[in-house]
Amino acid sequence: MMLLDAVYDQAQASTQLLALVGGGGKSTTAFVLARQAKARGLKVLITTTTKMYQPSSDQFDTIIDAENLSYQIDSHDSSASQADPRAFIFTTVAPGSGDTTESAPLRARHYTPSPWPTATICFCYQDIIESTESKEKNKVTGLSFVMLDKLKSAALFDLIIIEADGAKHLPIKAPSGHEPCIPSFVDTVIAVTGCEVINQKIDPKQIHRWTDFQHITRCKAGEMLDQQVLGRLIAHEDGMFKHAPNRAKRVWIINKVELSPNYIAVKALAMALLRQEMQLDVICLANMQAAIPIKEVMTKRSITMSDEDG
């Protein structure tokens, strides 16, 4: 099964909004999803509600700033909207180019409505944060909840994927007070965890926001990061799926499974947690850097059928 099949409802006609949280490969997961969706003929927007690293040009087809995207939505002719609500063409806008200068801020430019490509990946940002480190990539800020709501309603895209928190490149985290930035109208929340810490001794250096993590899971450094600890992180209202609406689908991706010394034990842990956690819908065992990213997909239904057959 492809990752897209596990998180995207093809029967739903309206735009679907997916939020990625956690650590261990959110950005990679976002662009894997986008490529799979584009291959299915879908139109995809990737952005963030916090900050994320600016992607490389080979990861998207079009990049546009939020001001120009908003301008296109607001200025689009109503008759054209009725004829084809997706009749826009987004001219590529490279960060730092165009009308932006020190004395003249970026100004909205009018783009003539035109037939949209059959499939595309668009990346949208609000502002660019220049890196102070020579080897560090620039970051971008993303879209407000108001803008996302407007985009979702406008149905310009089949799929909107947002990064909703950060993890400082660490494999697992607990959200802080202001995190994650998930709008109430999200359809699916995907939590990502790096497999290299699962069933291993807890090392605070491998956990983003260790103090919050320790408070939520009631664990101590040196103990095992096992089913019990992860179960608390998943189930706690301030844990892995914090701010996820009750109606939203909850997906847990255990990424980098190739780093686990005991894949069978990780799979058993995942199956046990899927049986245990009532609000957890899907678990994917994955290696997002591989040609075929998804190794196994487990759902509530598949676990129930397996138990009945057993």
Side-chain angles (χ1 to χ4, degrees):
M1 177 185 285
M2 296 178 70
L3 177 58
L4 184 68
D5 296 318
V7 302
Y8 179 76
D9 184 0
Q10 296 187 56
Q12 184 175 321
S14 59
T15 299
Q16 293 178 46
L17 179 63
L18 277 58
L20 284 155
V21 298
K26 290 191 301 294
S27 294
T28 304
T29 300
F31 285 100
V32 166
L33 268 171
R35 289 194 298 272
Q36 291 182 356
K38 179 184 175 181
R40 293 274 184 91
L42 303 179
K43 303 169 184 67
V44 187
L45 176 72
I46 296 181
T47 188
T48 178
T49 49
T50 56
K51 301 172 185 175
M52 67 182 290
Y53 286 105
Q54 182 180 317
S56 56
S57 59
D58 62 346
Q59 292 181 291
F60 55 81
D61 302 307
T62 300
I63 186 168
I64 191 167
D65 61 272
E67 186 175 355
N68 279 312
L69 181 55
S70 180
Y71 182 83
Q72 291 190 57
I73 296 171
D74 293 338
S75 63
H76 188 49
D77 182 79
S78 60
S79 61
S81 296
Q82 293 173 3
D84 181 0
R86 303 181 185 191
F88 289 99
I89 183 166
F90 292 160
T91 301
T92 299
V93 180
S97 67
D99 297 335
T100 303
T101 66
E102 291 183 1
S103 59
L106 184 67
R107 297 174 181 172
R109 286 163 286 179
H110 177 69
Y111 297 132
T112 304
S114 176
W116 184 275
T118 55
T120 191
I121 300 172
C122 179
F123 181 78
C124 185
Y125 68 97
Q126 182 70 48
D127 294 300
I128 300 168
I129 304 171
E130 298 286 346
S131 173
T132 57
E133 303 290 333
S134 59
K135 295 183 180 180
E136 192 82 0
K137 294 169 64 176
N138 291 338
K139 284 188 174 182
V140 297
T141 59
L143 306 185
S144 68
F145 288 4
V146 172
M147 180 63 173
L148 283 170
D149 192 22
K150 184 190 295 187
L151 270 170
K152 198 170 188 291
S153 299
L156 298 176
F157 299 92
D158 300 295
L159 184 62
I160 301 174
I161 304 170
I162 59 172
E163 274 200 29
D165 66 6
K168 301 285 187 182
H169 301 294
L170 294 174
I172 193 168
K173 69 168 292 183
S176 187
H178 66 285
E179 296 176 318
C181 297
I182 297 175
S184 61
F185 46 88
V186 70
D187 296 290
T188 301
V189 177
I190 304 170
V192 185
T193 300
C195 191
E196 65 266 37
V197 297
I198 294 177
N199 286 335
Q200 302 299 311
K201 287 185 177 181
I202 295 172
D203 178 2
K205 294 180 181 179
Q206 288 283 81
I207 300 174
H208 187 44
R209 307 203 185 280
W210 162 246
T211 301
D212 295 303
F213 187 92
Q214 191 176 29
H215 171 73
I216 289 168
T217 63
R218 305 193 301 275
C219 69
K220 296 179 181 179
E223 294 179 348
M224 296 299 291
L225 208 166
D226 56 13
Q227 177 184 331
Q228 188 175 41
V229 174
L230 287 165
R232 290 173 188 152
L233 182 65
I234 292 169
H236 199 285
E237 63 180 359
D238 292 325
M240 187 180 286
F241 291 97
K242 180 182 177 183
H243 294 165
N246 289 333
R247 63 166 187 79
K249 187 178 194 178
R250 300 185 183 202
V251 179
W252 184 28
I253 295 179
I254 302 176
N255 191 26
K256 304 180 184 179
V257 293
E258 75 282 4
L259 299 180
S260 173
N262 191 338
Y263 176 83
I264 299 300
V266 172
K267 180 179 177 180
L269 176 147
M271 292 178 69
L273 285 171
L274 195 56
R275 291 188 180 96
Q276 171 186 322
E277 300 301 334
M278 295 304 294
Q279 289 189 302
L280 187 57
D281 300 297
V282 181
I283 297 180
C284 299
L285 302 179
N287 172 7
M288 288 299 166
Q289 299 285 358
I292 302 176
I294 298 300
K295 190 172 181 68
E296 293 191 59
V297 174
M298 291 168 276
T299 66
K300 286 285 190 189
R301 182 180 179 186
S302 66
I303 291 293
T304 300
M305 291 175 64
S306 175
D307 291 343
E308 291 174 351
D309 291 342

